[in-house]
Amino acid sequence: MRPLIGVTTYVEPASWGVWHDLPTALVPHAYVEAVTLAGGRAVLLPPDDLDADVLRALHGLVLSGGADLGPQLYGAEPQPLTETRPDRDGAELLLARAALERDLPVLGVCRGMQLLTVAAGGTLHQHLPDVLGHERHRPAPGVYGTHTAAFTPGSRIGGLLGDDAEVHCYHHQGVADPGTLTVTGRAADGLPETVEDPARRFVLGVQWHPEVTRDKRLFGALINAAGG
């Protein structure tokens, strides 16, 4: 049996056929393909903040990308360019915290890395151009930025990707304080690109989008940790 990997989903207005702007649970198919190509079976998880019992049926979890986290979750006031999805926040924080407690393998992608950070008591920068002075992490609407990231020798991400790698990113927020997690990768401008929890079986957050390139190294590591 392939390991069952939960993938959190967005809720956004969507249109197809005769239907227009229906609230829809969806996720880019790239996440599903990345899990499948790495040897897992993707199980899509719509927002549900009643409990985290679904984790008992899963072998691993992918926290997907998407909108900004609510700043109140890390003790901050929202800034003008912060766009949130409260339904996702409550449901996914419940899943993330329960997964950490259960030592379930977790891969956090972009927003997912930020979610892991907040679950670990960390904080975020709400708009990176105000902090870094450039927009290279999200150069234009719908356009991925590319840059290199350098990784800590001996870290999990360093073992998977080597000393440095080119990454595809699309985000305007980033990690300010990683909380109890460890920053193991940074962009040239100093922004954290990866966080890990060495005390757990597999907890890795990446600020870029490895599903875009179907990166078998990262998704394969998640599947292996999940028992594949």
Side-chain angles (χ1 to χ4, degrees), residues 97 99-104 156 180-181 197-203:
R97 287 170 173 155
L100 294 174
E101 289 177 3
R102 294 168 182 263
D103 200 17
L104 191 76
R156 183 181 294 276
T180 59
L181 300 178
D197 187 343
R200 289 186 167 87
R201 188 159 40 128
F202 185 95
V203 173

Side-chain angles (χ1 to χ4, degrees), residues 1-3 5 33-41 216 219-220 223 228:
M1 178 178 176
R2 286 179 289 165
I5 307 299
E33 285 194 343
V35 168
T36 302
L37 290 171
R41 170 79 180 205
K216 287 186 179 180
F219 284 90
I223 300 305

Side-chain angles (χ1 to χ4, degrees), residues 20-213:
H20 299 281
D21 293 330
L22 289 182
T24 305
L26 54 82
V27 73
H29 192 61
Y31 287 97
V32 176
E33 285 194 343
V35 168
T36 302
L37 290 171
R41 170 79 180 205
V43 178
L44 302 188
L45 304 176
D48 182 339
D49 64 359
L50 296 182
D51 57 56
D53 289 354
V54 68
L55 296 181
R56 290 186 292 186
L58 300 176
H59 303 106
L61 178 66
V62 174
L63 299 169
S64 66
D68 304 327
L69 288 169
Q72 74 279 2
L73 298 173
Y74 49 94
E77 293 294 322
Q79 296 178 3
L81 296 177
T82 298
E83 298 183 6
T84 64
R85 299 293 186 275
D87 59 333
R88 287 193 69 184
D89 290 351
E92 292 178 9
L93 269 175
L94 183 66
L95 285 178
R97 287 170 173 155
L100 294 174
E101 289 177 3
R102 294 168 182 263
D103 200 17
L104 191 76
V106 181
L107 174 63
V109 174
C110 197
R111 167 193 160 92
M113 168 171 155
Q114 297 166 11
L115 187 81
L116 282 173
T117 297
V118 171
T123 62
L124 306 178
H125 296 299
Q126 289 189 52
H127 191 55
L128 291 175
D130 294 341
V131 178
L132 302 176
H134 65 79
E135 298 189 11
R136 290 193 290 274
H137 295 281
R138 190 177 69 175
V143 176
Y144 286 96
T146 58
H147 62 81
T148 58
F151 307 119
T152 303
S155 64
R156 183 181 294 276
I157 192 67
L160 292 171
L161 301 188
D163 293 335
D164 59 71
E166 185 175 82
V167 299
H168 291 71
C169 60
Y170 188 78
H171 59 101
H172 81 114
Q173 298 199 332
V175 170
D177 177 349
T180 59
L181 300 178
T182 301
V183 174
T184 56
R186 293 184 184 271
D189 58 19
L191 184 73
E193 289 289 334
T194 58
V195 291
E196 303 181 19
D197 187 343
R200 289 186 167 87
R201 188 159 40 128
F202 185 95
V203 173
L204 175 63
V206 298
Q207 190 58 79
W208 67 91
H209 283 272
E211 80 283 359
V212 172
T213 56

